[in-house]
Amino acid sequence: MKHCNKKGKRKAKLIGLAACVAATVTLSGCSLYDIADLFSGLGKGSEALYANENQQMPTEVAEAQTGSMDNNITDEAEQKEITEIAILPGASWLDTDGNVIQAHGGQIQLMPVPDENGVKTEKYVWVGEDKSSGHLGNDVAVYTSDDLYHWEFQGDVFRAVESREQLDEDSYFQELYQDHTSDELDEIYNCINKNTVIERPKLLYNHKNDNYVLWFHSDDSTEKNTYKYDVGMAGVAVSDSPAGPFKFLGRYRLSQCPDEQIDCFPSSKGEARDMNLFQDEDGTAYVTYTSENNKTLYISKLNEDYTYLSTDPEKAVYKEDFIRIFPGAMREAPVLFKGDNGRYYLMSSSTTGWMSNQARVWSADEIFGDWQNDGNPCVGTDADITFDTQSTCVFQTKEGQWIYYGDRWNSTDLADSRYIWLPLNFDGNRVVIKWESDFVLK
Ligand code: GAL
């Protein structure tokens, strides 16, 4: 028996090693796994993907364009109502004040939202990067909606700090950090100043504490490396409302590759970059993130407050506290969700920066169970570049419809990156996503 285990371990190590070697042989940031993607026309897709580029949503222009959807409707008012509710992937999406929605790398979910009297109602909450500041120092913005078409801006709920003095002098920051020492304020400034990376913010409502917990990718250069993604940590902040303000608690390295497995980047343990959160039906929450220099995705269980891991990385038990998914596969932009069939799905992109590439889905019966590669969920023309998007969220509407939400990054003007929502369906247990230039939510 012992012998068998040893053999099994050796085999697993060899497979792991092969995957790491494959992943380490890079071409423009891609692994061998993704070279096929590279040659399949990264980035731009066919014209149909950009049909809405010059449209706004929801506006008169959107109405005019989608008005043709139902030619039988002659009554003007009825036509207006129908046309107003179309989703236009890739259009410029406006909030209820008429401003462009700034919620990139974001997440949409139904959660209790308190009004000014503290009375909570379920609303859709959209959290994301406010890219008005460009690549670095993004504030985190939140919008709320009752119908997924009309989004009300709740503000920049977590703000990057402009100067060290601002923490002492600006009432917004004073109120949040009044009980902090000067050294602690130095550290906060160091972590979330305007020259740092604040990306892929995600939210959870913590029922036990009746508060909201924000996780995000917190990064920066280090003394050793000017590359802006060398710190590789997960930032955490909390608030009593999704409308903020969120108070920064700290930033952390996360789970580490167990000694008996092959670490694809042993020189930098516990890295956390692109990330997402998932809350299971029993309230247990998980963070999923790319680690080992973007070579391996992890899923780690959170503590009951959702503010840190369930167990310190040094003491964590593999498959009880965390799991590594397909070491060396070089995936990022992870999205973890549970289908109506009770199966867990992990969608991700390859690692080609702002350029789109081929999506992949893995699925499993249990979070810490055996993950199977389901391949590319996208079908049809431009499926090889995820319809020129990168995954950031999959959500379910009140009516039970599943929606894929990806970012179409505009690397020359990140604030003008577009949101792409598409209906996500299940064919048996497989996820299927098809391009639609416009669609009405069920
Ligand atoms: C992407 C990542 C984005 C951002 C970008 C920077 O791969 O998903 O969130 O970090 O790289 O190049």
Side-chain angles (χ1 to χ4, degrees), residues 129 135 199-200 217 229 274 332-333 351-354 390 409:
E129 302 157 13
H135 180 196
E199 287 179 349
R200 298 196 173 268
H217 171 194
Y229 292 89
D274 279 10
E332 63 180 3
T351 54
T352 52
W354 305 117
Q390 186 182 30
W409 298 112

Side-chain angles (χ1 to χ4, degrees), residues 127-182:
V127 62
E129 302 157 13
D130 177 348
K131 283 229 159 310
S132 319
S133 63
H135 180 196
L136 300 177
N138 294 157
D139 294 331
V140 174
V142 162
Y143 298 78
T144 56
S145 174
D146 289 318
D147 63 4
L148 291 167
Y149 295 100
H150 302 91
W151 290 95
E152 199 178 320
F153 183 49
Q154 298 298 329
D156 279 329
V157 302
F158 178 72
R159 283 169 48 187
V161 192
E162 278 160 31
S163 65
R164 173 62 183 84
E165 291 70 47
Q166 201 184 22
L167 287 174
D168 295 318
E169 290 161 12
D170 184 322
S171 58
Y172 172 92
F173 291 107
Q174 277 176 335
E175 275 171 38
L176 281 175
Y177 302 114
Q178 53 192 334
D179 54 346
H180 285 54
T181 64
S182 181

Side-chain angles (χ1 to χ4, degrees), residues 47 71 92 179 183 233 243 256 268 302 325 352 371-372 381 393 397 405:
E47 253 174 52
N71 295 326
S92 178
D179 54 346
D183 284 354
M233 286 193 181
Q256 302 179 4
S268 185
L302 300 185
I325 315 279
T352 52
W371 286 83
Q372 129 193 336
T381 312
C393 175
T397 68
Y405 150 29

Side-chain angles (χ1 to χ4, degrees), residues 2-23:
K2 253 190 167 173
H3 183 66
C4 266
N5 275 342
K6 258 194 180 167
K7 253 191 158 175
K9 263 189 188 169
R10 207 175 307 139
K11 194 176 166 202
K13 272 202 163 195
L14 276 173
I15 293 170
L17 187 61
C20 288
V21 170

Side-chain angles (χ1 to χ4, degrees), residues 213-216 234-238 247-252 306-307:
V213 187
L214 174 77
W215 282 66
F216 62 95
V236 181
V238 288
K247 179 179 178 173
F248 181 64
L249 298 183
R251 65 180 183 187
Y252 319 102
Y306 301 163
T307 50

Side-chain angles (χ1 to χ4, degrees), residues 13-237:
K13 272 202 163 195
L14 276 173
I15 293 170
L17 187 61
C20 288
V21 170
T24 311
V25 180
T26 57
L27 179 62
S28 306
C30 293
S31 72
L32 288 179
Y33 288 86
D34 298 299
I35 286 174
D37 296 354
L38 262 185
F39 291 105
S40 65
L42 270 183
K44 280 277 168 186
S46 60
E47 253 174 52
L49 295 186
Y50 310 100
N52 300 321
E53 213 166 48
N54 300 319
Q55 312 286 343
Q56 290 182 327
M57 190 199 87
T59 62
E60 313 78 325
V61 188
E63 287 160 23
Q65 199 219 313
T66 54
S68 59
M69 278 173 54
D70 189 341
N71 295 326
N72 296 327
I73 294 171
T74 45
D75 178 273
E76 217 178 276
E78 207 177 334
Q79 176 145 344
K80 191 160 190 283
E81 210 206 322
I82 289 218
T83 55
E84 261 188 346
I85 57 172
I87 296 291
L88 297 183
S92 178
W93 291 17
L94 306 180
D95 66 14
T96 48
D97 295 326
N99 297 317
V100 172
I101 294 177
Q102 284 297 328
H104 309 276
Q107 171 212 34
I108 291 164
Q109 69 191 298
L110 265 176
M111 57 164 57
V113 177
D115 64 14
E116 52 282 4
N117 302 314
V119 179
K120 293 199 178 69
T121 48
E122 284 265 303
K123 282 181 183 291
Y124 293 104
V125 174
W126 185 349
V127 62
E129 302 157 13
D130 177 348
K131 283 229 159 310
S132 319
S133 63
H135 180 196
L136 300 177
N138 294 157
D139 294 331
V140 174
V142 162
Y143 298 78
T144 56
S145 174
D146 289 318
D147 63 4
L148 291 167
Y149 295 100
H150 302 91
W151 290 95
E152 199 178 320
F153 183 49
Q154 298 298 329
D156 279 329
V157 302
F158 178 72
R159 283 169 48 187
V161 192
E162 278 160 31
S163 65
R164 173 62 183 84
E165 291 70 47
Q166 201 184 22
L167 287 174
D168 295 318
E169 290 161 12
D170 184 322
S171 58
Y172 172 92
F173 291 107
Q174 277 176 335
E175 275 171 38
L176 281 175
Y177 302 114
Q178 53 192 334
D179 54 346
H180 285 54
T181 64
S182 181
D183 284 354
E184 286 167 345
L185 293 179
D186 288 349
E187 180 56 10
I188 291 171
Y189 176 68
N190 179 44
C191 294
I192 55 166
N193 67 65
K194 280 281 178 191
N195 203 27
T196 63
V197 170
I198 297 173
E199 287 179 349
R200 298 196 173 268
K202 303 288 179 303
L203 267 184
L204 286 176
Y205 171 63
N206 186 289
H207 201 266
K208 178 174 83 80
N209 299 332
D210 189 19
N211 69 353
Y212 300 79
V213 187
L214 174 77
W215 282 66
F216 62 95
H217 171 194
S218 175
D219 227 318
D220 207 345
S221 47
T222 58
E223 277 171 15
K224 281 189 245 151
N225 198 337
T226 55
Y227 172 57
K228 271 295 180 192
Y229 292 89
D230 207 41
V231 163
M233 286 193 181
V236 181

